[in-house]
């Protein structure tokens, strides 16, 4: 119905929320990972980079 699988939709929601947290808080990347539902910070880093084309720290610097 929306053109993506449930997992793709869930990942997009998590990454969108992570972007907000990275932009608007001083939480560390592993804390952001936990907040959006990733127990493994390395996997979060992988998924974030795959989805955005940038690392979480690069994203934070670029959105400042």
């Amino acid at each position: 119905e929306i053109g993506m699988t449930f997992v793709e939709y869930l990942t997009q929601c998590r990454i969108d929320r992570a972007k907000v947290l990275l932009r608007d808080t001083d939480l560390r990347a592993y804390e952001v990972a936990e907040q959006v539902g990733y127990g493994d910070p390395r996997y979060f880093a992988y998924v974030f980079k795959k989805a955005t084309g940038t690392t979480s720290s690069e994203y934070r610097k670029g959105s400042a």
Side-chain angles (χ1 to χ4, degrees):
E1 302 239 344
I2 60 172
M4 63 178 76
T5 67
F6 174 74
V7 173
E8 291 169 337
Y9 176 75
L10 179 60
T11 300
Q12 181 181 344
C13 290
R14 287 175 166 176
I15 296 301
D16 289 345
R17 179 68 180 143
K19 287 178 179 180
V20 170
L21 291 171
L22 288 166
R23 186 178 61 238
D24 298 339
T25 71
D26 290 330
L27 293 173
R28 295 187 148 304
Y30 74 89
E31 293 170 315
V32 171
E34 289 175 358
Q35 291 281 319
V36 299
Y38 289 101
D40 182 355
R42 289 173 298 193
Y43 185 65
F44 167 73
Y46 168 78
V47 172
F48 190 89
K49 178 139 187 176
K50 185 176 176 186
T52 65
T54 184
T55 65
S56 58
S57 60
E58 290 169 345
Y59 180 83
R60 178 172 271 162
K61 287 177 190 172
S63 65

